[in-house]
Amino acid sequence: MDNHRRVLIVAYDDAQILDIACPSGALDIANRYGATPPYSLELGTVGRRAARSSAGIVLGAGQSLEAVTGRLDTLIVVGGVGCEDAAADGQLLGQVRRLAAQSRRVASVCTGAYVLAAAGLLDHRRVTTHWGWGERLAERHPTVAVDTGPLCIRDGNVYTSAGVTSALDLTLSLIEEDHGPTLARAVARELVTYLHRPADQAQISMYLAAPPPENRLVRDLMAYVDGHLAEDLTPTALAARAGISSRHLTRLFTAHLGTTPARAVRTVRTIAAARLVRSSGLSMAAIARRCGFRAAETLRQAFLDHYGVTGDRIRRMPDMASPRLPPGQQTPGT
């Protein structure tokens, strides 16, 4: 299937059936709307055993995980109340590690993050999961930076999403990444789902909360920024990545985001750091490093500039609404 994007969904007993249905249904619709190359979908379990969902509906697996060979485009691990048993299944974890190594990208839906974390695939990454399970995940895996603010987070080639129907947000973002916003919006319309989640929800999709910039280059660069916060994101580095001059990069950001590249990057880093302050026990120095700030004092100044308070004050605040960019600086990476 060299002309297909091969997607393998990993299931287990007591998985949430919506975690399986949302991505598979959205990708199927993308195919019917002309995704090129199309997605080929497979459901896999250990030993090709049927998977009993937590709703009692039994799904027959099309693949034994042990028998899957060759390159995968996307590996998706689903969540559900069976996630803790799945995270303790050494055979399943071994297969997930093996398959992740041969996948272009790896994703989890909801508490599927428990399985990825137990497999060692989330170490030193910023991730999300269902808001009710995030604290427990952070306690069990202190090297994982758990942030339950956004609906979806990309860190490198690893994508994690929040609870249940956020699988749609995740899948729509993958479709947009692969085929552009026109197809993603067509799929969303067919699914009769939101293109933009209501702003008062606690977990806001980093891809769909604000209209993405119309310019594809700016949109791709901001998606890259959100997934590589600790890397070199200077205007020079971003311009080189895009194959344009720094001057042209500034013109594009000013026209489509209403701000400079440096300010856009600093804002995204500041928002990510604020979420980590709220959702983790990491020190300010550790959060600064993970979000690309040179030192804790630099992060402190960023908080003062953006929120008017220090990180310690943010940590002590009662539940804080998911922070967003100020008007004119909204990006698909927040």
Side-chain angles (χ1 to χ4, degrees), residues 96-306:
V96 167
R97 276 192 292 268
R98 180 182 68 85
L99 294 167
Q102 60 196 56
S103 300
R104 179 172 71 93
R105 62 190 174 197
V106 178
S108 66
V109 176
C110 192
T111 54
Y114 273 63
V115 178
L116 293 187
L121 299 174
L122 300 185
D123 290 347
H124 310 296
R125 294 186 185 274
R126 175 173 163 254
V127 308
T128 194
T129 188
H130 190 287
W131 61 267
W133 293 69
E135 185 175 352
R136 201 179 320 173
L137 179 63
E139 289 174 353
R140 292 186 183 181
H141 300 280
T143 60
V144 177
V146 180
D147 178 357
T148 55
L151 283 176
C152 306
I153 289 178
R154 173 186 177 183
D155 190 326
N157 74 328
V158 176
Y159 301 67
T160 53
S161 66
V164 195
T165 57
S166 65
L168 284 178
D169 296 86
L170 170 67
T171 311
L172 288 170
S173 73
L174 297 180
I175 293 169
E176 180 174 342
E177 181 180 290
D178 294 341
H179 301 286
T182 300
L183 181 60
R185 291 174 184 273
V187 173
R189 285 194 297 270
E190 179 74 13
L191 289 167
V192 196
T193 191
Y194 288 111
L195 287 173
H196 309 276
R197 292 285 187 117
D200 59 355
Q201 290 193 11
Q203 292 185 326
I204 304 299
S205 169
M206 73 177 196
Y207 289 97
L208 302 178
E214 293 182 2
N215 183 274
R216 181 62 184 266
L217 187 149
V218 175
R219 185 169 62 249
D220 289 349
L221 281 176
M222 291 310 299
Y224 177 81
V225 166
D226 199 275
H228 301 79
L229 293 175
E231 297 183 14
D232 182 2
L233 300 177
T234 59
T236 300
L238 292 178
R241 179 174 179 81
I244 60 177
S245 69
S246 296
R247 180 175 297 179
H248 186 45
L249 180 78
T250 298
R251 284 198 295 266
L252 287 174
F253 270 60
T254 301
H256 295 280
L257 296 179
T259 189
T260 66
R263 287 176 181 168
V265 168
R266 189 172 191 257
T267 301
V268 171
R269 282 172 163 162
T270 303
I271 291 171
R275 287 173 172 155
L276 280 179
V277 167
R278 293 290 299 158
S279 64
S280 77
L282 294 173
S283 68
M284 292 298 171
I287 291 172
R289 288 193 299 271
R290 292 191 179 192
C291 294
F293 291 95
R294 291 190 301 274
E297 178 57 31
T298 311
L299 175 58
R300 179 179 179 277
Q301 188 59 54
F303 282 150
L304 287 171
D305 292 343
H306 192 79

Side-chain angles (χ1 to χ4, degrees), residues 23-87:
S24 59
L27 293 175
D28 172 58
I29 291 171
N31 284 344
R32 290 194 274 117
Y33 271 82
T36 305
Y39 299 98
S40 65
L41 303 172
E42 305 168 65
L43 182 68
T45 62
V46 171
R48 201 180 176 185
R49 295 193 295 265
R52 183 190 70 254
S53 74
S54 56
I57 296 173
V58 178
L59 301 173
Q63 284 284 359
S64 166
L65 296 181
E66 301 91 321
V68 176
T69 58
R71 186 72 173 162
L72 295 174
D73 182 81
T74 308
L75 178 71
I76 301 176
V77 179
V78 303
V81 295
C83 66
E84 294 188 279
D85 288 340

